Amino acid sequence: MRINRILLSAPLVVVALVIQVTILARLQLPGAVPDLLLLVVVGLALVYGHVGGALIGFFAGLLADLAPPSDHAIGRYALVLCVIGYAAGLTKPDSGRHRSATLPLLVVLGAAVGSTLMYAGVGSLVGDTAARHVGIVGLLLSATLYDLLLAPFTVPVVMALARRTEGDLLAGDSSGSQSGGAGSRDAGYGWLTTGTGLKASRGAMKSLRTGTGIGSQRGSLLGKSARDKAGRIKGVKRL
């Protein structure tokens, strides 16, 4: 992963984690806690792709596992965010930009549901039964509602910042495409000049076939022989 991506994603992840731990977790909202860290990972993955999304998700989740007050096994949330970042990055279009906000909103919805189910599933494997006591349905509904309400204020900003870091690369690609276009135009001109020569040769062949060239050559030869003959006759008369 490039340096400019690391320089942007690291501060965003740290700030999102601090806000989530110090502010969002203390709001005492019913059900789940708004997952700002998840939204940052999704926003970066939508711009950087599946590889960058997986790497950012893993390190962001690992940082959340180590940050106090952590009450779960280390690596649990890292696995969840790694999978979510990879899946969100797969939806990145070939052009690099989404035409509407529908797809990112659906990605946020799927990430909220998928992260809650995966977190509860991994917890059940390691003996964490907190999700059973709270209720998986209540966690799903509250997590989805909170993330969807927070997404319009988070994901577009993260995506805009991520696109700015990609600006230099896109500019280099565009300049390369312009130089390539100039080369293609030069090549096109070369083909045009070659085509002109072919047309000229074709015209010469056509004139030879129609007899125009042969007729003109014959006319010039006949005129020359007539002038020579007339000169000889005049010379005889003078004698």
Side-chain angles (χ1 to χ4, degrees), residues 3-156:
I3 300 298
N4 55 351
R5 295 184 176 182
I6 298 175
L7 294 177
L8 175 67
S9 59
L12 288 178
V13 167
V14 172
V15 171
L17 182 60
V18 170
I19 294 175
Q20 183 169 332
V21 173
T22 58
I23 298 176
L24 298 179
R26 298 183 180 183
L27 294 178
Q28 301 297 326
L29 296 174
V33 176
D35 201 340
L36 183 62
L37 189 61
L38 172 69
L39 298 178
V40 171
V41 171
V42 169
L44 293 174
L46 289 173
V47 179
Y48 293 156
H50 59 282
V51 176
L55 292 175
I56 294 172
F58 175 78
F59 287 107
L62 186 62
L63 185 62
D65 291 333
L66 297 174
S70 179
D71 56 352
H72 56 267
I74 295 177
R76 179 179 173 183
Y77 202 47
L79 174 62
V80 173
L81 287 187
C82 180
V83 175
I84 294 298
Y86 182 86
L90 291 176
T91 63
K92 175 187 176 183
D94 295 334
S95 61
R97 288 181 176 271
H98 298 82
R99 295 183 178 180
S100 64
T102 304
L103 183 59
L105 187 62
L106 293 176
V107 173
V108 171
L109 177 62
V113 175
S115 62
T116 304
L117 291 177
M118 289 180 60
Y119 190 80
V122 175
S124 63
L125 293 177
V126 296
D128 187 1
T129 60
R132 297 180 182 178
H133 298 292
V134 177
I136 189 64
V137 177
L139 286 176
L140 279 175
L141 293 177
S142 59
T144 304
L145 178 61
Y146 298 153
D147 292 343
L148 287 178
L149 291 177
L150 195 59
F153 306 99
T154 306
V155 177

Side-chain angles (χ1 to χ4, degrees), residues 215-229:
S216 60
Q217 292 177 2
R218 286 178 179 176
S220 62
L221 291 175
L222 289 174
K224 184 178 181 181
S225 62
R227 288 192 299 270
D228 295 340
K229 186 176 181 180

